[in-house]
Amino acid sequence: MTATTPRSTGLGRSFWSLWTSSSLSNLADGVLKIALPLTALRFTDSPLLIAGLALALSLPWLLFSLPAGALADRLDRRRVMLAANIVRGLLAGALALALTTGLGGLWVLYAVALCVGTAETLYDTSAQSILPQMVPRTRLDRANGRLHATEMAMNQFVGPPLGGLLVTAGLALALVVPGALWLVAVGALLLVRGGFRVERERSTTMRADIAEGLRFLWRHRLLRSFAVMVGISNFATNAVFAVFVLYAVGPDSPMGLSEPAYGVLLTATALGVILGSLTAAHVVRLLGRSWALRASVITFVGLVGVPALTADPYLIGAGFLVGGFGMAVWNVITVSLRQRVTPDHVLGRVNSGYRLLAWGTMPLGAAAGGLITEFTSPTWLFASMAVLTSVILVWLLRIDGAAMDRAEADNAAAG
């Protein structure tokens, strides 16, 4: 079965079915990722053990991203996404049952987080790789903007406060809801018609497939540079947010927030992402791609660094809002660029190799955040991560818009 041909105009019915499925899946992600650490507070107040959950959720990007990319280029990408969501829905239901029957504990949370994170690598890699098969490459900016805005709205704007409220209502309920959402998302994805398996000229091994994708990424200086930059940023943000719940939640914490208020605070980032995703094209027209990316990095510094200067939730929320805006602009530009400069037959593997560099640092950051906070303080953690993020800006000054234009033109000529 071969990949379907994108429509020549518009985004198409298949895109909107994908959009619906992605929205529901990311709402489930948002609920679960806030419910897990809040649930863990019932078992421990150790920064290292709390950070361990973020480590378990993100570790699969370090361990399984390359096989996930190879599978996305070997199998029907829609079917991979369906299977991943079914697994996530069943895992959430099983965890809810375990907590209800008294079998749940901190290590059970770790195990489920690791398995959910593994399924997420398969779903997300296939979802990014399937998009150019659904819409024309000239409309990828628009499609990515729509997807990213809704994904982040659900993942961070609606999901976190909903997760906080559900945990307050009951731990089992906070896990049953995301499980049900993942299964409903399966139904939406079943509405997508056609096949999404990429044609292969010859039979190869998984190892050879992975090596081909890594070679393409490593030889492409622009993509390689962006992957490492995102890796640095993700290390810093995961270090901060792995333990931020301890800084923010509880009467004895510096911020003194309740669990629902903590969820609301995190929606500031999501609101910024929504605004940035919907206006990224305008920002690019105003500043150009290179300067838009540089401005985005400045907002990343504020995102992780503002809590080092104040515990005021309004000022921190403002930093999160601006940081979220910058994150969205960065993602729309770089994801669309990657989809345009990469041949479709290798896109899954390039996406997974990119995310190995970009997202593989997340568990390392989570571990570092727990260690730094355990032996120093949250303030030192926030300040040090702001300094680290600033390194990206220096590197980015060497990349201009002409380099991105040339990379896109080279792939168009080769195609």
Side-chain angles (χ1 to χ4, degrees):
M1 189 173 289
T2 60
T4 55
T5 302
R7 292 167 57 105
S8 59
T9 59
L11 296 179
R13 182 179 300 175
S14 292
F15 168 80
W16 291 111
S17 295
L18 173 68
W19 178 87
T20 301
S21 178
S22 179
S23 300
L24 294 169
S25 296
N26 279 275
L27 178 57
D29 287 337
V31 172
L32 190 75
K33 289 177 181 177
I34 197 72
L36 282 178
L38 290 176
T39 301
L41 289 176
R42 269 60 174 180
F43 300 104
T44 182
D45 60 358
S46 165
L48 278 174
L49 294 178
I50 295 293
L53 275 176
L55 175 65
L57 278 169
S58 56
L59 186 61
W61 286 106
L62 186 60
L63 300 179
F64 304 122
S65 62
L66 294 180
L71 290 173
D73 286 341
R74 281 173 167 261
L75 306 176
D76 186 300
R77 290 164 176 169
R78 182 183 71 106
R79 293 184 179 182
V80 173
M81 295 165 66
L82 288 170
N85 266 2
I86 290 171
V87 168
R88 289 194 285 184
L90 294 177
L91 283 169
L95 179 57
L97 181 62
L99 290 172
T100 301
T101 57
L103 299 177
L106 192 60
W107 296 108
V108 175
L109 294 181
Y110 288 161
V112 170
L114 182 64
C115 293
V116 167
T118 301
E120 185 180 27
T121 65
L122 291 165
Y123 182 92
D124 286 359
T125 300
S126 294
Q128 266 198 0
S129 304
I130 203 175
L131 190 58
Q133 296 173 278
M134 290 185 170
V135 301
R137 290 180 184 261
T138 56
R139 295 180 179 266
L140 285 174
D141 282 341
R142 179 183 172 193
N144 280 312
R146 298 294 185 273
L147 271 176
H148 196 59
T150 308
E151 286 172 0
M152 296 305 293
M154 295 298 161
N155 200 313
Q156 296 189 28
F157 190 73
V158 180
L162 178 59
L165 290 172
L166 289 172
V167 168
T168 302
L171 298 181
L173 182 63
L175 297 166
V176 169
V177 169
L181 287 169
W182 274 316
L183 295 179
V184 174
V186 168
L189 197 57
L190 286 172
L191 297 176
V192 176
R193 301 301 180 187
F196 295 90
R197 175 178 288 176
V198 180
E199 293 183 355
R200 297 170 61 86
E201 296 180 356
R202 64 186 186 279
S203 178
T204 57
T205 64
M206 285 277 288
R207 181 176 180 180
D209 283 354
I210 291 171
E212 182 185 8
L214 289 176
R215 281 196 301 270
F216 183 95
L217 177 62
W218 187 253
R219 293 170 181 172
H220 202 294
R221 186 183 67 85
L222 196 60
L223 292 182
R224 184 181 70 240
S225 297
F226 281 139
V228 176
M229 290 179 199
V230 178
I232 294 172
S233 177
N234 282 339
F235 179 94
T237 53
N238 274 264
V240 168
F241 285 102
V243 297
F244 190 71
V245 64
L246 297 173
Y247 183 77
V249 177
D252 297 327
S253 68
M255 295 184 68
L257 299 179
S258 65
E259 292 172 345
Y262 173 65
V264 172
L265 174 66
L266 297 184
T267 65
T269 305
L271 180 58
V273 169
I274 296 168
L275 296 174
S277 297
L278 296 176
T279 60
H282 300 289
V283 174
V284 170
R285 283 196 292 270
L286 179 65
L287 300 178
R289 284 193 288 187
S290 58
W291 282 106
L293 291 173
R294 293 163 190 165
S296 296
V297 174
I298 295 174
T299 71
F300 300 167
V301 176
L303 176 70
V304 298
V306 168
L309 303 176
T310 179
D312 187 300
Y314 295 102
L315 293 177
I316 292 175
F320 286 2
L321 176 71
V322 176
F325 187 95
M327 287 167 55
V329 172
W330 175 283
N331 284 334
V332 169
I333 293 173
T334 58
V335 171
S336 299
L337 176 71
R338 187 163 76 248
Q339 291 168 338
R340 289 193 187 106
V341 304
T342 307
D344 193 53
H345 75 276
V346 77
L347 182 57
R349 285 164 284 167
V350 171
N351 279 336
S352 65
Y354 187 99
R355 286 189 166 185
L356 176 64
L357 294 175
W359 290 26
T361 59
M362 294 194 301
L364 304 179
L371 287 170
I372 292 173
T373 304
E374 186 81 24
F375 295 106
T376 59
S377 70
T379 300
W380 277 103
L381 172 65
F382 304 148
S384 62
M385 292 304 107
V387 173
L388 177 62
T389 306
S390 301
V391 173
I392 302 173
L393 185 59
V394 178
W395 191 348
L396 196 57
L397 291 173
R398 302 172 56 187
I399 298 175
D400 58 19
M404 290 181 265
D405 292 339
R406 285 194 300 272
E408 291 176 345
D410 289 344
N411 186 50

